């Protein structure tokens, strides 16, 4: 299997180049880039300086000369062919330079680095809650199939699945924060956070985390729980489990010694893919709760046509996704010793 994983790692390189060159090319032809934004801002400034008498004339004219536009194109690299510009950008990325934001003029890596802890915090908590709840709940539902417990929990998780996370966040904010004043309206800390003791800071962060975390995980319980339930039920009906029980193992021992491990195989295949979700998060939930994470940064950079930030986030997310796919294969090989990749 070592040769297989080496080949998978080597394939990361052409896949990464294919993803980034496609998005890089799209950013060159999408209207509304940094030059267009500078032209619009310059026109607005001229209109403000000239007053209302010349608004119509100012709106029709070109505020920048051809030489100024050519200098801007050279500054942003738009004066070169796409492939040449991509090669220059890729060399900078290989050196650890993700560029500089065209909107805020800050280094892209500094902008991303400031938001990674927040997204990682919610991502890790979400995975712990999802796997920590869904696996035991799926096992309980499989053992008690068609019981009242099974039907009630199915109704609850399907209701959560039907409600988008950001909608659930808005509903919780209106009810519990605005009307009942039980939880904060948003953010990750109170205004007087710096004056708190260590224990008070922990409680404050946990209190601010509660509703965003629920919004993140509310829709993820259904698929994982039902996947665990259905695979465990299939394994419990298999011959090897019946044979184990016939040889004297109790039903509980048959589940934990034999059926559970085989039932975790479908769960393991999706584990690695969740790595990219750890950092990317959901921009809608971050917008609702005023959380300055990676998802919101990516969303705002697309709206602002801040292409260096867009490409920087793409570099991180694509690498995480490809490494996550390899990690999924590793998890499957660990859970199922019968698997041999060639």
């Amino acid at each position: 299997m070592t040769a297989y994983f080496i080949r998978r790692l080597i394939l990361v390189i052409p896949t990464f180049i294919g993803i980034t060159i496609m998005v890089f090319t799209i950013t060159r032809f999408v209207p509304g880039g940094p030059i267009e934004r500078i032209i619009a801002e310059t026109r607005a400034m001229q209109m403000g300086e000239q007053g209302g008498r010349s608004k119509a004339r100012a709106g029709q004219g070109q505020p920048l000369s051809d030489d100024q536009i050519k200098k801007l194109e050279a500054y942003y690299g738009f004066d070169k062919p796409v492939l040449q510009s991509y090669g220059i950008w890729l060399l900078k990325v290989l050196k650890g330079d993700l560029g500089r934001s065209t909107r805020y003029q800050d280094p892209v890596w500094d902008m991303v680095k400031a938001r990674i802890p927040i997204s990682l915090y919610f991502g890790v908590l979400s995975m712990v809650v999802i796997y920590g709840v869904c696996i035991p709940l799926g096992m309980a539902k499989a053992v008690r199939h068609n019981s009242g417990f099974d039907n009630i929990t199915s109704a609850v998780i399907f209701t959560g699945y039907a409600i988008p996370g950001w909608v659930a966040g808005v509903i919780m904010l209106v009810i519990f924060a605005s009307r009942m004043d039980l939880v904060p309206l948003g953010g990750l800390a109170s205004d007087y956070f710096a004056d708190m003791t260590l224990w008070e800071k922990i409680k404050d962060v946990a209190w601010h985390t509660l509703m965003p975390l629920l919004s993140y995980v509310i829709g993820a319980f259904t698929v994982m729980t039902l996947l665990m339930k259905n695979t465990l039920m299939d394994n419990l009906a298999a011959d090897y489990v019946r044979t184990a029980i016939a040889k004297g193992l109790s039903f509980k021992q048959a589940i934990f010694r034999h059926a559970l491990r085989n039932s975790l195989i479908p769960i393991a295949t999706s584990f690695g893919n969740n790595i990219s979700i750890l950092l990317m998060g959901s921009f809608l939930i971050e917008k609702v709760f005023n959380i300055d994470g990676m998802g919101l940064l990516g969303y705002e950079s697309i709206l602002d046509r801040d292409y260096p930030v867009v490409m920087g986030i793409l570099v991180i997310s694509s690498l995480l996704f490809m490494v996550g796919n390899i990690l999924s294969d590793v998890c499957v090989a660990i859970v199922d010793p019968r698997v041999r990749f060639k």
Side-chain angles (χ1 to χ4, degrees):
M1 288 196 294
T2 303
Y4 169 81
F5 288 116
I6 292 175
R7 289 197 299 271
R8 288 293 302 272
L9 286 172
I10 294 174
L11 284 174
V12 167
I13 298 173
T15 306
F16 174 79
I17 293 175
I19 294 172
T20 53
I21 197 172
M22 180 180 65
V23 178
F24 187 88
T25 304
I26 292 174
T27 61
R28 288 310 175 99
F29 296 101
V30 174
I35 296 179
E36 288 86 347
R37 185 176 65 245
I38 292 173
I39 292 174
E41 291 174 352
T42 305
R43 181 180 288 119
M45 290 174 60
Q46 289 181 353
M47 291 173 62
E49 292 174 357
Q50 294 173 357
R53 292 179 298 174
S54 56
K55 280 186 179 179
R57 185 181 62 187
Q60 294 173 359
Q62 172 59 266
L64 300 180
S65 65
D66 292 339
D67 290 338
Q68 289 174 322
I69 292 177
K70 287 180 180 178
K71 288 181 180 179
L72 286 174
E73 289 177 348
Y75 178 77
Y76 290 113
F78 292 159
D79 59 331
K80 300 179 181 65
V82 174
L83 290 180
Q84 184 180 352
S85 298
Y86 174 78
I88 295 172
W89 172 83
L90 186 59
L91 287 175
K92 290 182 178 179
V93 170
L94 293 177
K95 295 177 182 178
D97 181 12
L98 296 179
R100 187 174 289 270
S101 169
T102 59
R103 182 69 172 176
Y104 303 103
Q105 303 304 318
D106 293 329
V108 174
W109 173 241
D110 290 346
M111 297 175 66
V112 171
K113 184 172 61 175
R115 291 162 175 81
I116 285 178
I118 298 174
S119 295
L120 194 62
Y121 170 70
F122 280 103
V124 171
L125 280 180
S126 298
M127 286 192 65
V128 170
V129 171
I130 290 170
Y131 284 97
V133 172
C134 291
I135 292 177
L137 181 59
M139 293 173 60
K141 286 172 66 64
V143 173
R144 305 175 187 178
H145 180 57
N146 281 336
S147 65
F149 171 80
D150 183 31
N151 295 330
I152 292 173
T153 52
S154 294
V156 172
I157 61 175
F158 274 112
T159 301
Y161 185 71
I163 303 175
W166 66 273
V167 175
V170 171
I171 294 173
M172 287 188 290
L173 278 178
V174 171
I175 296 175
F176 299 112
S178 179
R179 295 186 178 179
M180 302 179 67
D181 197 22
L182 295 177
V183 291
L185 279 170
L188 274 180
S190 301
D191 295 335
Y192 47 91
F193 183 78
D195 299 328
M196 295 180 180
T197 63
L198 178 60
W199 177 242
E200 290 175 339
K201 289 181 178 179
I202 294 174
K203 290 194 298 182
D204 186 68
V205 171
W207 201 233
H208 282 79
T209 302
L210 179 61
M211 287 202 302
L213 182 61
L214 289 175
S215 300
Y216 272 114
V217 304
I218 191 171
F221 286 130
T222 306
V223 175
M224 196 72 67
T225 301
L226 293 182
L227 182 63
M228 185 66 202
K229 174 192 173 183
N230 293 333
T231 52
L232 183 57
M233 288 180 62
D234 290 340
N235 282 290
L236 289 177
D239 292 337
Y240 73 91
V241 174
R242 290 200 296 266
T243 302
I245 295 175
K247 287 183 176 181
L249 283 181
S250 65
F251 184 66
K252 183 177 180 180
Q253 289 175 325
I255 291 176
F256 285 99
R257 290 187 184 181
H258 300 285
L260 178 59
R261 185 169 183 175
N262 289 332
S263 301
L264 290 175
I265 295 174
I267 305 291
T269 57
S270 63
F271 179 78
N273 296 332
N274 292 328
I275 290 182
S276 59
I277 303 175
L278 280 178
L279 285 179
M280 294 305 106
S282 170
F283 71 89
L284 286 172
I285 295 176
E286 292 176 0
K287 188 73 173 178
V288 168
F289 291 99
N290 192 26
I291 299 172
D292 202 9
M294 289 281 290
L296 186 59
L297 176 64
Y299 171 70
E300 291 178 344
S301 63
I302 292 174
L303 291 183
D304 293 336
R305 302 293 194 271
D306 197 346
Y307 299 137
V309 178
V310 173
M311 294 302 299
I313 293 176
L314 178 68
V315 168
I316 297 173
S317 60
S318 58
L319 288 176
L320 285 175
F321 184 77
M322 288 183 286
V323 172
N325 286 334
I326 299 174
L327 184 59
S328 293
D329 293 340
V330 174
C331 292
V332 171
I334 292 174
V335 174
D336 189 356
R338 299 170 299 177
V339 174
R340 289 293 180 268
F341 296 107
K342 296 181 180 180

